[in-house]
Amino acid sequence: MNEDQVYPPAPDFVHRAHVSGMDAYKALYEHARTQPEDFWRSLAEKELFWFEKWDHVFEWDPPRVKWFAGGKTNVCYNCVDRHAEGAREAKVAIQWIGEPGDERAITYRELLRMVSRFANVLKACGLAAGDRAVIYMPMVPEAAVAMLACARLGIVHSVVFGGFSSEALKARIQDLGAAVVLTADGGWRRGKEVRLKDAVDQALEDCPTVRDVIVLRRTESQVKMRDGRDHWWHELEAAASDDCPAEPLDAEHPLYVLYTSGTTGKPKGILHTTGGYLLQTTMSMKWVFDIRDEDVYWCTADIGWVTGHSYVVYGPLSAGATTVMYEGAPDYPAFDRWWRIVEKHRVSIFYSSPTAIRALIRQGDQWPNACDLSSLRLLGSVGEPINPAAWEWYYRVIGKGCCPIVDTWWQTETGSILIAAMPGAVPLKPGSATLPMPGILPEVIDFSGNPVPDGQEGFLIIDRPWPSMARTLWGDPQRYEDQYWRRVRGKYFTGDAARRDADGYYWILGRVDDVMNVSGHRLSTMEVESALVRHRAVAEAAVVGKPHEITGQAVCAFVTLKEGNWDHHRLGGELRQWVAKEIGAFARPEEIRFTEALPKTRSGKIMRRLLREIVTSHTVSGDVTTLEDLSVVTRLSSQPSDED
Ligand code: PRX
């Protein structure tokens, strides 16, 4: 990457920005660094509504932290009521576009009505603060309504991405002990129906804690409704009242659990709480997205991922913005779908992923060039490193050379953006997430925990707690401590490698653990391996991420088979389908390589590092039909190293 390429903010952008100029950024950063209590206290007072004031700004007993404990607030109230009852009453809160072309513009006032009614529906099902609700829905406004209604009552929600299979859904419902599942008949994706209710029915064969299923009618297709358990959303809602006051909840009350992949086969339930999470997601809307009342803001993420939580729903609504939600795929019915939406709805801030950008680059400039993109003023990127070529295209073809690009580094665990440019202050370098947010103290360290000099690669860690950080893993506090807080005591281990340059800019280099990043989605190698070994033909499996031009990484599986006469070609296809069934279509291996043996250390651990080398450097070639003999590499490489 060429680190010398620098794009300073344009003077008119600087002039109008919330944070205007480098000195303003530095002043904020220094204030947060030297007086964190004062910094966050004044923001919490100014930016959020509280029913009751807190006792302490934060209490830090690593790895346990509390922010604004004793304070009473409500996320839904902050996202909806305070706007609906004020000057933004008639402002569009959610501008929704369905894949078939249907559209809805929901004002803050209407959103309050929808959320209140649905919260009453949840109450009537006997749900109360602390209960768990699983949300398995398409990208429709009711998905956001479901999240907000839970937040209104203190019901802990867990959104499961609609692309996950019934098996994955079941594991999450069971882990949470959820009492209710909120779903739809289906959703639209590339003109086909994603049949969500069918998947729920399968999952619930083994989920005794679920008492009720509430089903939104979206596709109008035939679904089975089980008497006593399943209810139509519109029927329950029709009977509910509009009046449902938001519950005053402790700032540390759990808001949601979101499952993400870790280094084992079992996903981790990341727990986020109320006050600190909301404060920092709200602040990043101002600091990073420079949000203003006249903006039309569009984050293309699905609500099933953390980006959809923080930057489709909670952040933008708390900031009183108009947030765009689109149900379908970027290439349906044609490759200009996104740009047509930008044109029609005069989108001014557009936040997406490098994978999507690379996929659209491939289709040629004629698609965006045929649309009027002059409403855009700021672009964003998240989920994986953006390569400078994609950055340049995004900047030139989409932003027409006059929209800054904020490359935002963060994680499910961090809750909000931690490293990114404030666009009216920080000069950009393509490929770098640039500088930390106020209150964030990143360090790059070596194996022994010592800081490495600028310019050298190391592990990225964060010193000090921040308001929106995960509090624990649902049901597994020990794993939380082991995973994030053991490497350097009292400092958060991100699992990413990074480098800081001489200007203090951070360059994120990717994961250092067995987590793959496919299209900006986290996927554990072990999760896919566990799925594969559940198949009757598979003896052992080892999965690695392989570099991929569009999706960043693709799943590559090395598989050894049980005794038998297997047709490798057929089996390859069958195993791909199997993984889609066990986890979801997005986890389907791109490549399956059958082998006689897997390279292992003396203690029997699979050497994924070696397999990564094989798929990266193509030292061993093969396709799905060839049986590879890795025993040679095994012998050569299983010498002293026990790591990996
Ligand atoms: O490796 C980093 C990568 O995505 C991981 C977090 O994934 P997840 O929890 O699914 O959250 C994704 C959306 C926030 C990180 O550990 N990552 C995320 N953003 C960037 C990134 N890598 C480089 N640059 C980014 N901007």
Side-chain angles (χ1 to χ4, degrees):
M1 292 182 190
N2 178 9
E3 292 179 16
D4 302 331
Q5 193 80 25
V6 178
Y7 292 76
D12 57 330
F13 200 102
V14 176
H15 183 65
R16 299 182 61 199
H18 280 300
V19 181
S20 177
M22 205 52 185
D23 288 346
Y25 162 75
K26 283 185 183 153
L28 276 175
Y29 193 79
E30 275 311 292
H31 184 188
R33 194 181 67 80
T34 54
Q35 297 167 269
E37 284 215 24
D38 182 62
F39 181 80
W40 292 113
R41 180 191 45 75
S42 60
L43 288 178
E45 281 170 356
K46 189 165 148 258
E47 302 287 341
L48 300 183
F49 167 85
W50 296 86
F51 294 99
E52 271 175 49
K53 203 67 178 289
W54 50 87
D55 305 322
H56 302 283
V57 175
F58 66 91
E59 293 161 42
W60 179 220
D61 174 18
R64 276 167 295 281
V65 72
K66 287 183 178 167
W67 283 89
F68 310 108
K72 298 268 186 291
T73 185
N74 184 288
V75 167
C76 181
Y77 186 93
N78 277 284
C79 290
V80 185
D81 304 46
R82 64 167 167 161
H83 308 305
E85 285 158 3
R88 298 190 177 109
E89 180 186 10
K91 178 173 175 173
V92 174
I94 298 176
Q95 173 61 59
W96 175 78
I97 299 108
E99 196 188 74
D102 40 348
E103 292 189 0
R104 285 156 76 188
I106 297 166
T107 63
Y108 273 98
R109 164 109 347 248
E110 284 162 348
L111 186 60
L112 176 59
R113 188 168 164 271
M114 290 168 79
V115 166
S116 301
R117 290 173 85 89
F118 196 65
N120 277 328
V121 168
L122 296 175
K123 263 190 189 169
C125 290
L127 295 164
D131 288 337
R132 275 86 58 209
V134 162
I135 300 174
Y136 185 62
M137 293 183 72
M139 280 290 281
V140 290
E142 283 78 4
V145 168
M147 293 163 76
L148 291 161
C150 287
R152 193 168 190 80
L153 302 176
I155 298 164
V156 185
H157 67 65
S158 187
V159 183
V160 177
F161 171 55
F164 274 114
S165 68
S166 60
E167 286 298 319
L169 175 65
K170 176 166 82 185
R172 286 155 176 77
I173 295 171
Q174 288 175 340
D175 193 58
L176 278 168
V180 65
V181 176
L182 312 175
T183 189
D185 42 9
W188 295 114
R189 185 92 188 160
R190 294 202 173 88
K192 294 206 183 81
E193 189 192 18
V194 181
R195 294 198 45 93
L196 297 170
K197 176 62 165 62
D198 290 354
V200 170
D201 289 343
Q202 277 178 33
L204 292 191
E205 281 168 17
D206 220 359
C207 296
T209 57
V210 175
R211 299 190 305 260
D212 296 289
V213 178
I214 304 180
V215 188
L216 180 82
R217 191 171 262 164
R218 164 69 187 133
T219 55
E220 316 235 340
S221 64
Q222 281 286 324
V223 291
K224 285 196 212 93
M225 297 292 277
R226 184 192 283 188
D227 260 1
R229 185 194 72 181
D230 300 351
H231 322 275
W232 285 111
W233 185 299
H234 59 274
E235 286 175 7
L236 297 185
E237 208 203 12
S241 130
D242 284 1
D243 184 33
C244 180
E247 293 277 338
L249 298 166
D250 193 279
E252 280 298 330
H253 187 81
L255 176 64
Y256 67 80
V257 173
L258 185 59
Y259 286 87
T260 188
S261 295
T263 47
T264 70
K266 190 175 181 300
K268 303 186 280 196
I270 307 289
L271 178 79
H272 283 291
T273 59
T274 296
Y277 172 81
L278 189 65
L279 180 60
Q280 220 173 346
T281 49
T282 309
M283 289 324 299
S284 45
M285 290 307 298
K286 297 198 171 177
W287 289 336
V288 181
F289 297 115
D290 190 44
I291 196 86
R292 287 201 296 260
D293 248 329
E294 60 274 24
D295 279 316
V296 176
Y297 161 94
W298 183 15
C299 165
T300 63
D302 191 282
I303 47 144
W305 310 109
V306 74
T307 310
H309 286 60
S310 299
Y311 297 112
V312 175
V313 180
Y314 292 122
L317 293 177
S318 174
T322 295
T323 182
V324 174
M325 257 178 115
Y326 166 55
E327 180 186 28
D331 54 359
Y332 189 85
F335 295 106
D336 59 357
R337 186 68 196 264
W338 276 2
W339 316 128
R340 292 279 166 218
I341 294 173
V342 169
E343 176 179 68
K344 178 163 182 201
H345 294 284
R346 307 296 296 157
V347 172
S348 56
I349 303 174
F350 180 79
Y351 185 33
S352 193
S353 72
T355 287
I357 293 158
R358 286 190 294 261
L360 291 168
I361 291 176
R362 191 185 246 191
Q363 304 307 323
D365 298 3
Q366 70 277 18
W367 298 101
N369 284 349
C371 301
D372 175 7
L373 304 181
S374 61
S375 55
L376 290 171
R377 68 178 192 93
L378 179 63
L379 303 173
S381 170
V382 63
E384 47 186 316
I386 179 162
N387 49 310
W391 196 101
E392 295 287 348
W393 184 87
Y394 199 22
Y395 186 74
R396 195 170 39 78
V397 179
I398 305 304
K400 310 296 178 204
C402 52
C403 302
I405 299 178
V406 287
D407 176 0
T408 63
W409 177 85
W410 60 295
Q411 308 176 303
T412 307
E413 292 87 341
T414 71
S416 69
I417 295 167
L418 296 198
I419 304 180
M422 293 193 185
V426 176
L428 306 170
K429 296 187 190 184
S432 168
T434 77
L435 300 176
M437 289 291 108
I440 305 306
L441 279 73
E443 289 173 12
V444 183
I445 58 160
D446 63 18
F447 261 111
S448 340
N450 301 313
V452 302
D454 283 348
Q456 276 184 29
E457 293 177 12
F459 302 111
L460 182 68
I461 60 164
I462 315 282
D463 193 1
R464 296 220 204 140
W466 60 96
S468 67
M469 66 191 244
R471 298 299 190 259
T472 190
L473 297 182
W474 181 261
D476 203 348
Q478 192 58 50
R479 189 175 175 197
Y480 175 71
E481 195 162 338
D482 293 346
Q483 196 109 64
Y484 304 107
W485 300 96
R486 273 221 190 287
R487 192 168 291 239
V488 187
R489 286 253 164 237
K491 299 187 183 185
Y492 172 80
F493 181 69
T494 64
D496 276 344
R499 182 163 46 80
R500 183 169 55 203
D501 70 16
D503 297 325
Y505 278 47
Y506 289 85
W507 299 76
I508 310 295
L509 304 167
R511 304 288 307 187
V512 295
D513 50 17
D514 288 324
V515 172
M516 297 172 285
N517 191 330
V518 180
S519 307
H521 300 145
R522 252 158 85 167
L523 200 57
S524 139
T525 52
M526 304 270 260
E527 224 173 320
V528 183
E529 286 164 10
S530 316
L532 283 166
V533 297
R534 284 196 289 269
H535 188 277
R536 66 197 159 89
V538 176
E540 280 188 305
V543 166
V544 290
K546 144 184 169 179
H548 190 278
E549 207 188 328
I550 304 285
T551 58
Q553 284 189 310
V555 178
C556 178
F558 291 80
V559 169
T560 66
L561 296 174
K562 290 182 183 155
E563 286 292 309
N565 220 347
W566 306 105
D567 171 345
H568 291 138
H569 189 70
R570 257 195 46 206
L571 192 59
E574 194 178 317
L575 289 178
R576 272 195 213 99
Q577 264 317 101
W578 177 264
V579 173
K581 182 182 100 36
E582 293 284 305
I583 303 174
F586 67 95
R588 192 183 284 148
E590 186 184 77
E591 198 178 326
I592 293 193
R593 292 158 79 144
F594 296 106
T595 167
E596 292 285 7
L598 291 171
K600 288 191 187 150
T601 60
R602 270 193 216 151
S603 61
K605 277 206 245 163
I606 294 170
M607 301 182 77
R608 287 200 194 77
R609 180 167 44 80
L610 202 77
L611 297 174
R612 268 197 297 269
E613 265 166 43
I614 291 170
V615 296
T616 312
S617 61
H618 301 288
T619 43
V620 181
S621 63
D623 60 33
V624 283
T625 56
T626 46
L627 197 66
E628 288 172 346
D629 183 3
L630 291 181
S631 56
V632 183
V633 253
T634 312
R635 274 198 303 278
L636 284 177
S637 318
S638 65
Q639 298 300 319
S641 162
D642 220 359
E643 35 132 336
D644 221 349

